[in-house]
Amino acid sequence: MLRATVGNPLSRFFIKRLVTKKRLEKILEKYANPEIKLGFVCSLYYPLVKAIIDSGARAFGVPEEKMKNFFQERIHRRGLCSVLKGIAHYGITKPQNLLAPFLVVWDITYACNLKCKHCYSNAGKKLKNELSDEEVKRIIDELDEIGVVAIAFSGGEPLVRKNFFEIARYASSKGFYVAVATNGTMITQEVARKMKESGIRYVEVSLDGASPETHDSFRGIEGAFEKAIEGIKNAKEQGMMTAIATTITTHNYHEVKDLIELALKLRVDRFIHFNFIPTGRGEKIVNEDLTPEERERLLRFLYKKSKELKGRLQVFSTAPQYARIALQEALKRGEGEISFTFYGGNVKNRTIEIAEFISGCGAGRMYCGITPDGKVKPCVFMPIIVGDLREKSFSEIWNNSEILKSLRDRSDLKGHCGTCRYKYVCGGCRSRAYAYFGDIKGYDPGCIYNEKNLKEEEVYGIH
């Protein structure tokens, strides 16, 4: 269906002509707001683009009004532009390749005020050769030029970085969806106000337990829990979208239910389970990784909660197996909306197609990481440098790196990941494969299929 609507040669030809000068984004703005005036060239192409969008909406059963409301948000317009650019260049692929990532996770500094046991970046002290503010802004300009949708500033602790609010404000002024991943301990009422004023829209606070004892023992500083809770409250008061992010290990596995209850009590918008990756300081606690059975139970519990709490709390996981579980549950019911669609539609046909189109591990495909000194990594959890932004442009690195090209190809994955019927929906976590085996094409040892190599019918009775 995707090939018939946007992947056909004629559609791809016209999309290629619209990707320059952000014409496509302007046309999408017109689609959402008919009163918008377009220039001569955009006016010529508008009927064709509208016809393509309307055709795609009908194919997936999305009402026109819902589609128009969806594109009121600039981030959604930029996101579709990114996908269409990828289709115009590569055609329809499984999973879809993009000319620019949706998301860049930028460790803006490695300076940090905590000593977390699982820190992937070994954060603590600032690098001597951190990017200057001028270099940061130049890179932001590059990301804007190629169509990156969102920037998530992380670390270390991003709020420690001098002039951080100026950097965030600059990124926001370029139209990016700006997010911050923080330990929350520095978000006073004044800091929360500055975050809001600088254009930050999403605040993700790490919380590794539902009690001070659990969280503080993981974070290495007494009192971190209470400060993080205050930080969450202060961010909420400013009206920013707020999330609790938890890296789940055997250390806090028993507190997941309580963490979700805490999220509901604090009225945050989202709870996210972060897959544990034994890299950085996390190598020292590799024995606290969940077993495949524990991870499977956890992900199925989280999916169940996501259905129960719909409208009250969004529940997600960074484990790529979560998309597989969502699809399995939808197939069982023959209906249902899953996290990567905005309409359920005909599950057996359309949901599977969308899942294979966009789901699974996004390392080097949907997103990438940038270090404080300007190095590009496929994922912040994968310590492989694929380019230096002081030497090459982001576009050169993203489109020419052989490692990134390899990560986008799931045809040669190893273990059960390579033969699994869900390899285009999931594909396994590439960072976990690298952390355990030093091989980005290795299997994900956290998946129950890789552990027992059982057929799906034997485990879940699905046919």
Side-chain angles (χ1 to χ4, degrees):
M1 189 64 71
L2 288 168
R3 284 184 174 85
T5 53
V6 296
N8 67 77
L10 182 62
S11 294
R12 290 175 60 194
F13 172 78
F14 283 112
I15 291 169
K16 284 182 179 180
R17 288 177 167 265
L18 290 172
V19 296
T20 59
K21 300 181 181 178
K22 299 187 179 179
R23 286 171 177 159
L24 191 54
E25 190 174 335
K26 294 173 185 175
I27 289 174
L28 290 175
E29 186 177 7
K30 167 75 172 179
Y31 176 83
N33 303 286
E35 68 277 6
I36 296 291
K37 303 296 183 183
L38 295 176
F40 177 72
V41 175
C42 290
S43 295
L44 289 177
Y45 286 107
Y46 176 74
L48 175 65
V49 174
K50 184 179 185 302
I52 292 172
I53 296 172
D54 289 343
S55 175
R58 286 193 299 271
F60 292 107
V62 182
E64 182 180 356
E65 197 58 36
K66 191 168 186 178
M67 186 70 87
K68 287 184 175 180
N69 289 337
F70 183 77
F71 286 122
Q72 292 287 338
E73 278 272 354
R74 188 177 183 186
I75 180 178
H76 296 153
R77 299 195 295 270
R78 288 181 73 134
L80 181 61
C81 286
S82 179
V83 171
L84 292 178
K85 287 177 185 178
I87 292 173
H89 187 81
Y90 294 107
I92 299 291
T93 62
K94 287 197 313 184
Q96 186 59 46
N97 291 332
L98 304 176
L99 282 173
F102 272 133
L103 169 67
V104 169
V105 180
W106 196 333
D107 291 338
I108 201 69
T109 184
Y110 282 156
C112 190
N113 58 332
L114 298 185
K115 302 174 182 178
C116 307
K117 290 181 179 180
H118 59 326
C119 182
Y120 64 81
S121 60
N122 284 308
K125 293 183 179 180
K126 169 185 173 181
L127 292 182
K128 293 180 179 179
N129 61 338
E130 275 188 1
L131 296 167
S132 66
D133 291 354
E134 291 71 25
E135 288 176 311
V136 167
K137 290 177 181 178
R138 173 184 59 77
I139 295 169
I140 289 174
D141 289 342
E142 290 183 18
L143 301 181
D144 177 44
E145 183 63 29
I146 67 169
V148 171
V149 178
I151 298 175
F153 291 110
S154 186
E157 171 51 53
L159 296 176
V160 171
R161 164 95 186 207
K162 186 179 179 181
N163 296 332
F164 173 70
F165 296 116
E166 180 184 337
I167 291 169
R169 187 177 294 106
Y170 187 78
S172 178
S173 73
K174 294 289 183 176
F176 290 103
Y177 187 91
V178 180
V180 171
T182 170
N183 61 46
T185 61
M186 298 180 67
I187 307 179
T188 62
Q189 289 183 333
E190 176 65 12
V191 167
R193 183 185 61 78
K194 289 182 178 179
M195 293 172 75
K196 177 73 172 181
E197 290 175 350
S198 65
I200 293 168
R201 298 179 59 183
Y202 178 82
V203 182
E204 186 177 278
V205 178
S206 297
L207 208 61
D208 289 307
S211 66
E213 293 77 19
T214 305
H215 179 77
D216 291 357
S217 65
F218 217 67
R219 294 275 154 175
I221 299 291
E222 188 175 344
F225 180 83
E226 297 301 335
K227 288 182 179 180
I229 296 297
E230 276 304 302
I232 291 169
K233 291 177 179 178
N234 291 333
K236 282 292 298 178
E237 284 180 8
Q238 288 295 324
M240 291 176 285
M241 186 176 183
T242 310
I244 287 176
T246 305
T247 300
I248 299 175
T249 64
T250 57
H251 180 79
N252 56 6
Y253 182 70
H254 62 288
E255 292 190 18
V256 174
K257 186 180 294 186
D258 292 336
L259 276 160
I260 290 177
E261 287 302 316
L262 178 59
L264 289 167
K265 180 180 177 181
L266 294 171
R267 297 184 179 181
V268 299
D269 302 280
R270 181 176 291 176
F271 174 82
I272 306 174
H273 153 237
F274 264 76
N275 223 7
F276 170 67
I277 317 291
T279 188
R281 285 202 288 270
E283 290 181 359
K284 297 178 181 179
I285 58 168
V286 64
N287 61 319
E288 294 185 21
D289 196 2
L290 300 180
T291 66
E293 291 85 359
E294 287 172 331
R295 181 172 280 99
E296 189 76 8
R297 286 196 296 271
L298 169 65
L299 294 178
R300 291 189 176 275
F301 169 77
L302 292 176
Y303 183 78
K304 180 182 177 182
K305 297 303 289 186
S306 75
K307 300 293 103 180
E308 291 176 0
L309 299 173
K310 189 175 180 181
R312 296 175 62 199
L313 178 70
Q314 298 174 6
V315 180
F316 292 114
S317 170
T318 64
Q321 291 85 6
Y322 192 64
R324 182 256 298 168
I325 285 170
L327 184 59
Q328 287 173 334
E329 292 297 324
L331 288 170
K332 278 184 182 179
R333 294 174 175 81
E335 62 182 4
E337 186 173 315
I338 53 183
S339 62
F340 41 74
T341 67
F342 48 95
Y343 187 71
N346 185 325
V347 170
K348 288 189 177 179
N349 296 320
R350 294 169 185 151
T351 303
I352 292 174
E353 184 179 9
I354 295 175
E356 292 187 333
F357 176 72
I358 207 164
S359 291
C361 181
R365 181 180 65 87
M366 302 292 288
Y367 77 95
C368 68
I370 297 178
T371 65
D373 56 347
K375 306 294 195 305
V376 178
K377 302 195 294 185
C379 170
V380 292
F381 296 103
M382 189 182 291
I384 299 175
I385 302 302
V386 297
D388 188 337
L389 291 168
R390 281 173 165 151
E391 298 175 358
K392 294 182 179 180
S393 72
F394 185 88
S395 181
E396 286 179 278
I397 295 169
W398 179 261
N399 291 300
N400 297 329
S401 165
E402 293 302 320
I403 292 174
L404 297 185
K405 289 178 183 178
S406 180
L407 283 167
R408 295 162 191 162
D409 179 8
R410 295 187 191 165
S411 65
D412 56 350
L413 297 178
K414 299 174 183 177
H416 190 72
C417 285
T419 59
C420 184
R421 64 187 289 190
Y422 294 107
K423 74 175 178 180
Y424 294 114
V425 175
C426 169
C429 175
R430 298 299 94 216
S431 290
R432 285 178 56 81
Y434 186 76
Y436 274 95
F437 309 118
D439 185 355
I440 61 173
K441 292 305 185 81
Y443 68 87
D444 182 347
C447 179
I448 194 168
Y449 290 171
N450 274 314
E451 184 194 46
K452 295 184 177 179
N453 204 26
L454 294 176
K455 293 181 180 179
E456 183 182 16
E457 290 83 355
E458 296 173 329
V459 182
Y460 301 109
I462 298 172
H463 299 279

